[in-house]
Amino acid sequence: MDFQTTSSYLSNVEPMVEDGQAVPMYSIGQLDEDGNLVRDPQFPDLPTVEEVYIDIYGEEPSGEAWESYKAFVGAVFTVQKVLWVHDDVPEEAFNELVEGAEGMVEDEQYQVEGEEVMGYEPFVGDEIQEMMPRLLDLPEGTEEWVKGFLDETYGLDQ
């Protein structure tokens, strides 16, 4: 059993799958704009964790564990490899960083090589600015539930 990021999977695991040495079972999934778990666009043939749960138990997952799972999928997997800057960054520097990222995304060589390595279209500028607050806003009680679960299951002191 193993877990890999998409970029690592594409470069390291996919050749093993093609050689019959590994079998992909499911993907973590992605959150859509409405907060629903959907198939990872990079792996559209792999079921999500939710689909596997339904196949095993005959019902949709629910409860605090499920809501916590979805919250962390949004915060950790739907958007990865983010460039963060401090709130007090000079506006000119911020704008140059955004322009540089947008230029990179529009570059033909990056589009070809980036797709091979990353597997996803990057979010830049206003698109990511609008998305992040929604993805990072954990539902009330999620953090407490996760801390309690980790403490109860693994003896991790909160």
Side-chain angles (χ1 to χ4, degrees), residues 75-130:
V76 178
F77 296 103
T78 299
V79 176
Q80 297 182 23
K81 320 271 188 296
V82 177
L83 293 175
W84 296 97
V85 296
H86 292 277
D87 287 340
D88 62 354
V89 66
E91 185 175 348
E92 183 179 340
F94 177 78
N95 290 337
E96 287 179 15
L97 181 61
V98 171
E99 288 174 22
E102 289 173 341
M104 176 188 72
V105 170
E106 294 169 5
D107 181 80
E108 288 182 29
Q109 183 177 356
Y110 172 82
Q111 290 175 2
V112 172
E113 294 176 11
E115 175 69 23
E116 292 173 10
V117 175
M118 300 290 285
Y120 303 96
E121 287 186 38
F123 300 111
V124 295
D126 291 339
E127 187 176 24
I128 191 71
Q129 292 289 343
E130 293 169 10

Side-chain angles (χ1 to χ4, degrees), residues 115-155:
E115 175 69 23
E116 292 173 10
V117 175
M118 300 290 285
Y120 303 96
E121 287 186 38
F123 300 111
V124 295
D126 291 339
E127 187 176 24
I128 191 71
Q129 292 289 343
E130 293 169 10
M131 180 182 287
M132 290 311 292
R134 178 177 52 84
L135 293 175
L136 295 177
D137 185 24
L138 296 178
E140 188 174 329
T142 297
E143 184 176 347
E144 293 79 16
W145 184 89
V146 170
K147 286 179 179 179
F149 170 80
L150 292 173
D151 187 36
E152 187 177 308
T153 306
Y154 300 104

Side-chain angles (χ1 to χ4, degrees), residues 17-37:
V17 172
E18 291 169 358
D19 288 344
Q21 297 174 323
V23 178
M25 299 170 64
Y26 61 89
S27 76
I28 299 297
Q30 301 274 313
L31 291 186
D32 67 11
E33 292 177 0
D34 298 321
N36 299 309
L37 192 70

